[in-house]
Amino acid sequence: MKNYLKQDPWCIIEEGWHPQENKITESLMSLGNGRMGQRGNFEEQFSGETLQGNYIAGVYYPDKTRVGWWKNGYPEYFAKVLNACNWIGIHLKVGEEEVDLHTAKHVSAFRRVLDMQGGTLFRSCEVELNNGKQIRIESLRFCSMAEDTAGAIKYSVTPLNFSGTISFEVFVDGDVKNSDSNYDEKFWDAVLNDAGHNSGMVTVSTRKTNFHVCTAFAFTMYENSVEMEFQGKPTLKDKYAGVTVNIEAKQNVTYTMYKYAVNLSSLNFSIDNLPNEAKKILKSITSKGFESMLLDHQQVWADKWALSDITIEGDIMAQQGIRFNIFQLNQTYTGEDARLNIGPKGFTGEKYGGSTYWDTEAYCIPFYLSTAPEKVARQLLLYRYNQLDKAIENAQKLGFSNGAALYPMVTMNGEECHNEWEITFEEIHRNGAIAYAIYNYTHYTADYSYLEEAGAEVVLAIARFWSQRVNFSTDKNKYVMLGVTGPNEYENNVNNNWYTNYLAAWCLNFAIEVMEYLKAKSPENYHRIVEKIKFDETHELKQWRTIASNMYLPFDAKSEIILQQEGYLDKEQILVKDLPESSRPLNQKWSWDRILRSCFIKQADVLQGIYFFEEDFDLDTITRNFHFYEERTVHESSLSPCIHCILAAKIGDYEKAYEMYLRTSRLDLDDYNNDTEDGCHITSMAGTWLSIVQGFAGMRVVNSSLHFNPYLPQQWMQYSFKITFRKALLKLTITKDRIEIENQSGISTVLSVYDQEYKLDANSTLVI
Ligand code: BGC
């Protein structure tokens, strides 16, 4: 666990430079706006430990899969979100010496601050160069939330002990690589570049996928607050455009460059028009100016915080932790484009390729449902609807028919592109999470239009898959599901994973309900769908009912424990508390076969099912299974602690709930798993939000109304959060002696607190 950042309610602050932690800080201080993102890299040259990263949502490269022994069914490629053109670059020279914090003689007064309230990254430092000259550097930058193709930087240099030549080479550089490239290839080809005296641009295209991205910049220079005239000298190189300005700098005078940049991709603009469109947007932001762009950007952030902030009093670490999670989620996904989704690392690193996992449906949807306009979660659902044909094709390739769909475990464009067949391929439970998210959205919002227009088709195709994926065991006289991997990836290719079987049965029942609903309430859509998918109502509904009610669900009658899978109790039963510290984390210390043979669990599996379908289980069952499985769980997936926090709170084990909360909330800030340098765990950040709202505040939607069962962790003085439920905006504050629910909208609502029902009029407050 690292502890080098300052505690602050709104900022992540590195005071004094920590070069050995630089890659971690770069991940933590990433900025994004849903369309693009940038790690907290330095603008000037840096030859020390760094992972350069600038990512454009949806622009990917299909990197050929690397395996020793190719087998049928392996995906051809692993999609990778690309490290794209570096738009922040400014080479700085003092005399003949290039400023590089790694090689400089001395760096002092270093400060790097991510301001989460306003979405900016600030850095200041004093640098003594090897030539004895000292300068102060200050930079402030943001990826605009208001104009999502644009970013801007205010970059100032002050000579502290000399007057003399300082040269700025402002550039964009598309000659960049992914550090995770399978064959050490570069993914970009040059298309064109151009530079003038104060501007330049580079267009590059991706190999194979042929995305074109045009990155353009323009800049202005100021001496203190007076704009300078200058004649920059252009430099063009392969995929590179730069402009050099030499300044005869005076001691203690500050020279400030405003660099405006845009990143436009062929996802949103026609290839031929990219340079012109880039120039147009660049002109508009340059004339708007840095300060005014910043105000627009901060206004968008203010609006986001007004809906999604959580305040915690009495525990600054917890406050900083939760805001960091909310900040990252909001800058990763904005719901503007249904072709985009949420990579497990968002825009903060290359790992997981920026692709979509079941994480979105299982963890992220509830966050956006409650804290953003309805459209945002709907767009995430539409993403899957738009990929339904590909999911049907996927299933066909594996021998399924009749419109059965198997959504990929990892995808960019609807095709399966995971890179670890043995682990991920058999996690067919992802199909269930997608159906569950449709249920969740509809139940939460009461907006049936998505279900009617699109979601029903997804649910039905998924139901068809399950009905073909099971087989009838004459031995058990039940339907069974063989050869799967549950969410617990420390078991592979097991038979009858309880979670998968339970979820599949639920999906089949849900699909039946959906058809009944459509028939009664939306006959036009009913007929449209029956026709489109050639639905054989009598046969299919009957078959689904039979399977759902005869699904094999492994259970140990003696201990009354749900079995994670058949045979789970044959394993040597050891508890995590009895594992020596030296064998943790298992995935780094044990051989893979030893992990697979052991009873140890990576992340919630049975408990994931109990979490989804809590209403199906009594408190005793939840408590018994929670204790049994939690004691065997090593939480080596970042998605694990949140589910345990919520269930621990449900059964009243508040100490465990808080322990689990701490693990999720500051996972990246404290580099708990020693892997933040690869990027932040964006999707599990939604789990942190869930831990407070569903865990500590006990929020559930039961029979169409909100229920709360709040308690205050003893470490806190009070906490407060907002949620939007069916257009009503509610602010809950939980203190030591009261619960306050403020309806900040013009819509009245009915809700329950500790099972007591209350009517909350528009713009009124309930105090309990
Ligand atoms: C987890 C998966 C998850 C993936 C991406 C893995 O470590 O086990 O459940 O989908 O990470 O977050």
Side-chain angles (χ1 to χ4, degrees), residues 169-202:
E169 182 173 338
V170 194
F171 67 91
V172 292
D173 183 5
D175 193 24
V176 290
K177 279 173 73 167
N178 265 49
S179 70
D180 68 351
S181 163
N182 278 349
Y183 297 90
D184 206 26
E185 279 173 294
K186 288 191 175 173
F187 301 149
W188 295 102
D189 283 327
V191 177
L192 57 89
N193 58 356
D194 188 20
H197 88 281
N198 67 349
S199 64
M201 72 159 65
V202 165

Side-chain angles (χ1 to χ4, degrees), residues 344 352 357-359 363 409 427 429 487 489 602-603 636-639 683:
Y352 293 115
Y357 286 65
W358 72 303
D359 305 27
Y363 296 88
M409 184 62 183
E427 287 193 64
H429 65 83
E489 294 179 340
K602 183 181 181 191
Q603 68 202 92
E636 288 178 14
S637 158
S638 64
L639 299 174
T683 46

Side-chain angles (χ1 to χ4, degrees), residues 511-718:
I512 296 167
E513 268 174 46
V514 167
M515 278 319 250
E516 283 166 355
Y517 165 84
L518 288 182
K519 202 170 184 178
K521 298 282 168 57
S522 181
E524 262 173 48
N525 280 306
Y526 176 81
H527 293 300
R528 176 183 62 77
I529 293 172
V530 167
E531 178 72 13
K532 181 171 171 188
I533 71 167
K534 311 239 169 322
F535 191 63
D536 180 345
E537 186 177 340
T538 332
H539 168 70
E540 292 193 70
L541 291 185
K542 186 168 161 238
Q543 187 202 22
W544 295 355
R545 264 193 203 101
T546 311
I547 298 171
S549 51
N550 289 293
M551 186 74 90
Y552 178 64
L553 298 169
F555 181 75
D556 180 57
K558 206 157 87 202
S559 56
E560 293 188 80
I561 293 295
I562 293 169
L563 289 184
Q564 184 179 265
Q565 77 256 5
E566 248 183 308
Y568 179 77
L569 287 181
D570 294 341
K571 289 171 177 261
E572 190 182 3
Q573 297 295 322
I574 312 172
L575 305 186
V576 175
K577 71 173 173 45
D578 298 324
L579 267 175
E581 244 335 279
S582 56
S583 24
R584 310 279 306 273
L586 296 184
N587 63 23
Q588 284 168 27
K589 302 291 170 59
W590 279 13
S591 70
W592 187 237
D593 71 300
R594 188 172 178 195
I595 292 178
L596 292 179
R597 273 183 281 121
S598 81
C599 71
F600 295 115
I601 299 170
K602 183 181 181 191
Q603 68 202 92
D605 192 302
V606 166
L607 297 183
Q608 183 75 36
I610 292 185
Y611 162 70
F612 273 168
F613 304 110
E614 189 188 283
E615 283 177 55
D616 297 355
F617 306 98
D618 60 37
L619 197 60
D620 277 353
T621 307
I622 300 178
T623 308
R624 206 170 33 251
N625 283 283
F626 179 83
H627 289 311
F628 181 83
Y629 283 109
E630 202 282 326
E631 290 183 325
R632 290 159 174 78
T633 303
V634 286
H635 304 292
E636 288 178 14
S637 158
S638 64
L639 299 174
S640 188
C642 59
I643 300 300
H644 289 81
C645 172
I646 297 166
L647 291 181
K650 167 84 192 170
I651 63 172
D653 187 346
Y654 299 137
E655 214 176 294
K656 179 57 80 184
Y658 199 71
E659 177 200 327
M660 291 291 117
Y661 171 75
L662 286 183
R663 280 183 74 153
T664 162
S665 114
R666 295 189 57 93
L667 179 75
D668 290 312
L669 286 180
D670 296 338
D671 195 17
Y672 209 101
N673 283 355
N674 249 322
D675 60 357
T676 305
E677 62 177 46
D678 298 335
C680 298
H681 299 82
I682 301 297
T683 46
S684 77
M685 291 182 178
T688 311
W689 181 90
L690 287 170
S691 301
I692 294 187
V693 175
Q694 297 186 354
F696 302 155
M699 182 180 100
R700 304 285 188 276
V701 181
V702 184
N703 295 332
S704 303
S705 81
L706 279 177
H707 284 230
F708 294 95
N709 202 14
Y711 79 95
L712 179 70
Q714 61 180 26
Q715 294 81 350
W716 300 354
M717 303 286 287
Q718 69 167 60

Side-chain angles (χ1 to χ4, degrees), residues 361 365-366 369 435-445 506 510:
E361 284 79 14
I365 294 254
L369 265 180
Y436 184 81
I438 296 171
Y439 159 79
N440 208 1
Y441 172 87
T442 314
H443 190 211
Y444 190 91
T445 59
W506 175 86
F510 180 48

